[in-house]
Amino acid sequence: MGGKYRITGNKYPRMRRPRRRGRLVGLTVASVVVLGVGGWGTLQLIDVFTGGGRKASAAGDGTDCGVTTKASPSPSAKPLPQPRTITVNVLNATTRGGLAKKTADELKKRGFKIGDVGNATKQYDKKVKGTGLLLGPAAALDTALPVLGTQLPGAERRTEAARKGAAVDLVIGDGFKELAKRQDADRALTKLATPEPAPTTKKGC
């Protein structure tokens, strides 16, 4: 060939375009960066939902203490007397006749010992406005009176310091209708004899 460019030797130059190695390297690097960022983001999300590999504790950092409520046996109390050991005087302080005898007969069926039956003394006659009044010596306040009270809920309880003997009085008042149903009275008596344990609160760390 003539002209400005001459070909020497027995080999001809190849006319194809040179490979763009620089672009391929750039794409590879970009792919690696994208994958790395995506993996790092995934690890961050895992740390957020798992607590960064630390075990979650309900106690926090140990500065908060848990409070535990536990039932403890009730302190020993004086044993309650059985109905058969309690003598009850049934007295009527109302204007309705026959209430004392009827009530005394029912109490006898429920195991109580019956003493005097009749009208209330002048001190209480027509002066008891509630269902009834339970009277006894000071020692009966936490023994015989609560037991008798299971038969007539709502009755007032009162003690007389100068009173002698162990007998107690059931004075029927104007609001009296009848004694508690026997099954209800028996249930109340059982609960009275076996009170539920008192709950105690214990704070532990």
Side-chain angles (χ1 to χ4, degrees):
M1 297 179 63
K4 186 177 180 180
Y5 298 96
R6 295 171 181 260
I7 298 174
T8 59
N10 56 2
K11 293 183 179 180
Y12 296 92
R14 296 180 180 180
M15 303 304 293
R16 65 182 179 182
R17 296 179 179 177
R19 295 178 180 176
R20 297 181 178 179
R21 295 181 179 179
R23 180 178 295 180
L24 292 176
V25 172
L27 291 175
T28 302
V29 172
S31 298
V32 172
V33 171
V34 171
L35 291 175
V37 172
W40 180 82
T42 302
L43 290 176
Q44 292 299 313
L45 289 174
I46 292 174
D47 287 344
V48 169
F49 288 105
T50 61
R54 297 185 297 271
K55 293 183 179 180
S57 174
D61 57 359
T63 58
D64 297 332
C65 297
V67 178
T68 303
T69 301
K70 182 179 179 182
S72 61
S74 299
S76 57
K78 188 174 182 180
L80 294 173
Q82 296 293 323
R84 66 176 182 274
T85 65
I86 301 175
T87 300
V88 183
N89 301 318
V90 184
L91 308 174
N92 185 5
T94 74
T95 58
R96 292 174 287 168
L99 284 182
K101 185 178 185 309
K102 182 180 179 181
T103 303
D105 289 344
E106 182 60 30
L107 286 175
K108 186 176 181 179
K109 292 178 183 178
R110 300 183 184 189
F112 289 88
K113 294 175 64 176
I114 303 302
D116 297 334
V117 178
N119 294 326
T121 60
K122 185 178 180 180
Q123 181 181 358
Y124 298 107
D125 190 29
K126 300 179 184 65
K127 297 177 182 179
V128 180
K129 303 302 180 183
T131 57
L133 176 63
L134 308 183
L135 293 171
L141 182 61
D142 297 323
T143 55
L145 291 185
V147 175
L148 182 58
T150 61
Q151 312 302 310
L152 187 59
E156 181 186 353
R157 301 175 192 177
R158 193 182 302 174
T159 60
E160 297 174 324
R163 182 166 179 150
K164 296 181 180 180
V168 295
D169 298 345
L170 189 159
V171 183
I172 300 173
D174 292 336
F176 178 86
K177 293 182 179 179
E178 61 181 2
L179 295 175
K181 299 296 182 183
R182 185 162 186 173
Q183 58 183 2
D184 294 336
D186 290 344
R187 190 180 300 112
L189 189 59
T190 300
K191 186 176 181 180
L192 184 66
T194 55
E196 297 179 356
T200 58
T201 302
K202 182 180 180 181
K203 186 175 183 181
C205 297

